[in-house]
Amino acid sequence: DQQVKQNSPSLSVQEGRISILNCDYTNSMFDYFLWYKKYPAEGPTFLISISSIKDKNEDGRFTVFLNKSAKHLSLHIVPSQPGDSAVYFCAASAWSSASKIIFGSGTRLSIRP
Amino acid sequence: DTAVSQTPKYLVTQMGNDKSIKCEQNLGHDTMYWYKQDSKKFLKIMFSYNNKELIINETVPNRFSPKSPDKAHLNLHINSLELGDSAVYFCASRGSNTEAFFGQGTRLTVV
C-alpha cells in the first residue's frame, strides 16, 4: 500500500524549459512534504520542503506546490538545466523529527539539450 | 566533512554469512534511520531510532538487528544473509522538524 505515489517513472524536458514533477499521497496525517534528488551511486539529497500550513514554497529555480484538498504536490524547476538530470523522490512525514519519512517510487528526469 | 557517513560503500558476501554496516552522523541529530532501496528502486524505511531508542521497526526480519551505542551512531547487523537481502542500504539522520540527511549508501550483494 503506497502512501506516496509518483505515477510518472520518467520525464524528459528540454533545457531551459520548465520541469514539473507530480506526487500524490493518501495519508491525511502527513503534514510535512519533501523533495529529494538522487544521482547514481549517491544518497538522496534534500532539495526543498513544504509544511501543510503553506501551499507554496520557493527556493531559487525550485518551487513546490501543495494542494491539500487533492492530496497532491508538485515540484517545478525553471529553467531546467543539464545538472538537474537525476531521480527525484517525493516524500512525506508527520510533523515530528521522530516520524518516519515515506518515499514515493521516484521520477527519473532527463534534461535534453 | 561528511554529515552522514556509512561504511562500507560496497559489500559482497556469501549466503549465510553475518555482516555489519556502520553509520555515523556529526549533525547532532536525535533521530536516525535505516532505509533499504530494492531492485525496483523503492526507498523503504526499515528502522528509526530516537535518542538511542528504537521507535519504528517496519516488520523487518529479526535477522536484521540495529544497534545504537550512542546518538551519533546507528549500525545495522544482518545475520544469515539471504539472496533477497541484496540491495542498497541507506542510513539517514534528522533533527528537530527538519529534513533527513542521507549517507552515500552501502551496496550489499549476497552471492
Side-chain angles (χ1 to χ4, degrees):
Chain A
D1 178 30
Q2 278 187 266
Q3 298 184 63
V4 179
K5 299 178 185 178
Q6 294 177 257
N7 293 318
S8 298
S10 62
L11 176 67
S12 180
V13 174
Q14 193 169 22
E15 184 178 354
R17 301 285 193 133
I18 185 170
S19 295
I20 300 176
L21 296 93
N22 293 303
C23 177
D24 298 295
Y25 62 96
T26 57
N27 191 337
S28 53
M29 297 298 291
F30 291 145
D31 50 16
Y32 188 57
F33 304 90
L34 311 95
W35 284 95
Y36 280 82
K37 178 179 180 180
K38 186 181 181 305
Y39 293 118
E42 293 183 11
T45 302
F46 171 74
L47 202 54
I48 192 169
S49 64
I50 189 168
S51 74
S52 59
I53 61 173
K54 295 184 176 181
D55 54 19
K56 176 183 174 181
N57 188 26
E58 192 173 351
D59 183 2
R61 297 186 297 115
F62 303 92
T63 303
V64 56
F65 295 92
L66 175 62
N67 182 334
K68 287 189 291 294
S69 60
K71 292 192 177 69
H72 177 85
L73 63 154
S74 61
L75 174 68
H76 293 209
I77 307 172
V78 57
S80 300
Q81 298 175 354
D84 296 331
S85 294
V87 177
Y88 288 78
F89 288 96
C90 171
S93 172
W95 188 257
S96 162
S97 62
S99 296
K100 57 187 175 183
I101 301 176
I102 305 296
F103 283 82
S105 53
T107 296
R108 181 177 299 278
L109 176 64
S110 301
I111 306 302
R112 59 182 191 272
Chain B
D1 193 20
T2 306
V4 181
S5 60
Q6 51 183 111
T7 55
K9 185 166 184 179
Y10 299 98
L11 184 54
V12 181
T13 187
Q14 289 189 322
M15 281 176 54
N17 283 351
D18 303 339
K19 290 293 178 187
S20 293
I21 306 171
K22 295 185 177 181
C23 178
E24 176 181 4
Q25 54 100 358
N26 61 6
L27 298 166
H29 289 165
D30 290 336
T31 302
M32 294 186 73
Y33 306 93
W34 276 107
Y35 280 82
K36 178 181 180 180
Q37 187 176 34
D38 59 23
S39 56
K40 294 184 179 178
K41 307 301 182 186
F42 285 99
L43 267 168
K44 293 183 179 176
I45 189 166
M46 300 174 67
F47 299 103
S48 172
Y49 268 69
N50 186 263
N51 279 318
K52 303 192 298 175
E53 289 194 18
L54 177 68
I55 56 171
I56 294 172
N57 178 341
E58 289 288 311
T59 60
V60 177
N62 57 16
R63 297 183 295 105
F64 290 78
S65 52
K67 286 187 171 49
S68 183
D70 55 58
K71 221 170 68 165
H73 295 83
L74 181 61
N75 304 321
L76 184 64
H77 189 75
I78 316 170
N79 289 327
S80 304
L81 277 155
E82 300 177 357
L83 292 177
D85 298 331
S86 295
V88 181
Y89 293 84
F90 289 99
C91 175
S93 74
R94 189 180 190 191
S96 300
N97 299 333
T98 67
E99 66 275 15
F101 292 82
F102 282 79
Q104 63 181 1
T106 295
R107 180 174 293 278
L108 172 66
T109 304
V110 183
V111 297

